[in-house]
Amino acid sequence: MKQGRYAMNCQHTVADEKIGSILYLARHGETTFNVENRMGGDPPLTDRGIQQAFRVADLLKDLRIDTIFCSTLLRSKRTAEIIHSCHRDSFLVEISELVEFDAGELDSLTY
């Protein structure tokens, strides 16, 4: 997986008509912290979270996807890797700026 920033030209041609980029957003699958009501952290996906990621991959499999961006967190990377399994010609790029927040001292605590 390539790390860092990636710039691309996202012009697509549909029936000789140029259109701009289309952005699809997907949240990571369920994590162990989601089940335990824990905040932040970098937990792995649960079996259910892996199934959810495969469901998203299945929903997106017939779409043209040039690049898949994800954060550097395990849950995000694993979800992106599963989606990428249906889009082997696309770029898979980790971007640290996509990490949502730092919970500080509250990291990994339950709520």
Side-chain angles (χ1 to χ4, degrees):
M1 185 180 304
K2 181 179 176 183
Q3 284 193 302
R5 297 177 193 268
Y6 180 75
M8 63 182 175
N9 179 350
C10 295
Q11 291 294 319
H12 303 292
T13 302
V14 178
D16 296 325
E17 179 182 337
K18 285 189 176 184
I19 61 172
S21 298
I22 299 174
L23 178 66
Y24 301 98
L25 299 175
R27 188 175 190 269
H28 61 77
E30 178 186 76
T31 69
T32 55
F33 274 25
N34 295 137
V35 173
E36 298 167 353
N37 293 322
R38 291 189 184 275
M39 186 176 262
D42 195 12
L45 296 178
T46 61
D47 289 342
R48 181 176 181 217
I50 292 169
Q51 291 173 353
Q52 290 169 337
F54 275 108
R55 178 69 179 126
V56 171
D58 186 55
L59 290 170
L60 298 174
K61 70 181 180 207
D62 296 325
L63 299 175
R64 176 182 169 179
I65 297 180
D66 297 318
T67 306
I68 299 168
F69 297 99
C70 66
S71 81
T72 55
L73 297 177
L74 292 174
R75 59 186 178 254
S76 178
K77 290 192 300 188
R78 183 67 182 121
T79 301
E81 289 165 352
I82 291 169
I83 294 168
H84 187 252
S85 70
C86 292
H87 295 278
R88 287 289 178 201
D89 292 336
S90 64
F91 292 98
L92 182 53
V93 182
E94 289 180 31
I95 302 175
S96 61
E97 290 85 358
L98 293 177
V99 175
E100 67 269 48
F101 70 95
D102 180 351
E105 292 179 8
L106 300 177
D107 196 49
S108 303
L109 295 180
T110 57
Y111 52 89

